[in-house]
Amino acid sequence: MNFTVALGAARAKSRPGAGPGLLSRLVSKLGASGWRPWLAPLAALLVWEIGAHLPGVDARFLPSLEAVAVRGWRGFVHDDLFHHVLASLGRDLAGFVLGACAGVSAGLVLGFSPLAQRALGPTLMTYRQISLFAWIPLVSMWFGGNEAGKIAFIAMAAFQPTLVNSWRGVAEVPKSYRELSNVLLFGRLGFVWLIALPCALPQIFTGLHSALICAWAGTVGAELLFNIAPGIGGQMNEGQQLFQMDRLLLCILLLGGVGLLFNLLARAAERRLLRWRTL
Amino acid sequence: MTAPARETAAHALDISHVSKRFLVSGRKMLALSGVDLHVDEGEFVSIVGASGCGKSTLLRLILGLDTDYEGEVRIDGVRVKTPGLDRAIVFQDHRLLPWLNVRSNIAVALRHSPLGKAEKAERVDAQMRLVGLERFSDAYPAQLSGGMAQRVAIARALVNRPRFLLLDEPLGALDALTRLRLQNELLRIVRQEGATAILVTHDVDEAVYLGDRVVVMRPDPGRVATVLSVSGPQTHDRSSPGFIGLRDQVLALLGVAYNGAELSLAREADAREAAPA
Ligand SMILES: Nc1ncnc2c1ncn2[C@@H]1O[C@H](COP(=O)(O)OP(=O)(O)OP(=O)(O)O)[C@@H](O)[C@H]1O
Ligand SMILES: [Mg+2]
């Protein structure tokens, strides 16, 4: 018990610039959660806002921030924008789960089995070189341009980073740990459960994290390029056809916001599950 | 058995004419050359030698981690082919699993022990008390100091009550005071468990203090230069003339000489080695 207390004290001590004042405490708190990444997007918003109000700028091409906000308010309160966001999220989740499960499984098999690695490694390396978008015609032929095709495409987006990272994570378990496993007579199963998987977990998480982002990007791609359906991408298609810039910009802001949320969630999960690394 | 009456049959551990080569950038490099060492049950053998003279490699061969070598490593006359629970090691780096807490790090060594669950827990607790870490049973390796981590590694090695305890610079990372305390602990534990211990160390004081014998190894290629017997009660008194004499002798053999006499001793040893070649 007093150990945890001591630890907390040590950590508090090691935090730099934790002054007594409220302001400095706030600054250090923001610093701990990283305020720097917010600087660039805020600056971009500011430039946008100033630009929109410059004389001679056509509001139809560059609507102001408040116009977009009004559009958002109306969309969520009076319209069914919320359902579109949910539709995109559902699609994204389905594709992510499918692709990530397949990717992690395939990566683990490759990492653990030298035979599989020799047989499939080069093929998968080649697959990595092919742009995701090159598959669109094929995927839409195989799975159709509707829900199945979209989800298949999103799954492909999530597959690749999970595959590569879990493969590498398992393959890169240090030799010294293999030696330890031999000395302690762990056997193959013990090695996998007690050493290889936990050792590879940070890397597997890195893969899942980037798969989350890739899948979200893939969701928008699929919604824009496959058949039109409810979703943020569908909204963008509509906005483009009706020449509603504020609607397009709103969708872009929504995409960014959701991506940001995913990032935060993934990082929080990572911190929790890999507590032993950051202690 | 019609085998020639070998004096080796009486030893617990026999290392006979062991040579080990490594392939380093396409070239065969001799890491161990004709190493002979015979260790009795319950003996405490210290090994000293310059960095890179093959001490860790020798321990790996005793563990059975590497069977690709010339010569033989035998336990009770039977060739070592695989690792076993009769041999435990404290690695040069503590090699704890960072994702397991202290208790689990010790408990994993009992995975293949025939003990019951309660007995295992009991053993782990006893080991943690032994190395003085019972308060840290739930801490993770990242929360431990280097010395504490090394003590967990010692506890993990001891938890199976191994017959052979191999120690690869186990106290290297510790401060002088903890080191002295743990040396006594180690001696007590090894005596209490009746284990046969082989300790690799860079600390000549430690080698003489703990060892019944001190094996001095030399590099290029790694070989046993001399084996010194540490006998008599005075050797557990670090300030006794016997202890100091022996320590200086080992230092001289390692090529660290303070005066002419010791230097000539080192030269003599070199000459002895060079003679048969
Ligand atoms: N896996 C390996 N591949 C190639 N060479 C190796 C390997 N392991 C050890 N060696 C070589 O064998 C020699 C002996 O290494 P070893 O680790 O046994 O030395 P050591 O006596 O334990 O040194 P130290 O006191 O620094 O720990 C070194 O020259 C090293 O380069
Ligand atoms: Mg070594």
Side-chain angles (χ1 to χ4, degrees), chain A residues 230-248:
Chain A
I232 299 179
Q235 289 293 293
M236 290 181 84
N237 269 330
E238 242 178 78
Q240 190 188 8
Q241 265 146 40
L242 301 176
F243 206 77
Q244 296 169 327
M245 279 299 171
D246 51 349
R247 198 156 164 197
L248 283 176

Side-chain angles (χ1 to χ4, degrees), chain A residues 106 109-110 115-126 167:
Chain A
V109 168
L110 280 169
L115 185 75
Q117 182 151 342
R118 266 198 304 276
L120 298 174
T123 315
L124 286 163
M125 273 307 169
T126 316
W167 176 4

Side-chain angles (χ1 to χ4, degrees), chain A residues 175, chain B residues 21-24 29-32 49-58 60 66 92 168-169 200 202 217 220:
Chain A
K175 213 178 120 220
Chain B
R21 276 167 234 276
F22 282 115
L23 206 60
V24 179
M29 204 239 1
L30 199 56
L32 289 173
S51 180
C53 71
K55 305 178 299 289
S56 299
T57 304
L58 187 61
R60 291 184 72 248
D66 193 340
Q92 201 164 353
D168 199 347
E169 292 177 44
V200 168
H202 278 140
M217 289 184 69
D220 302 312

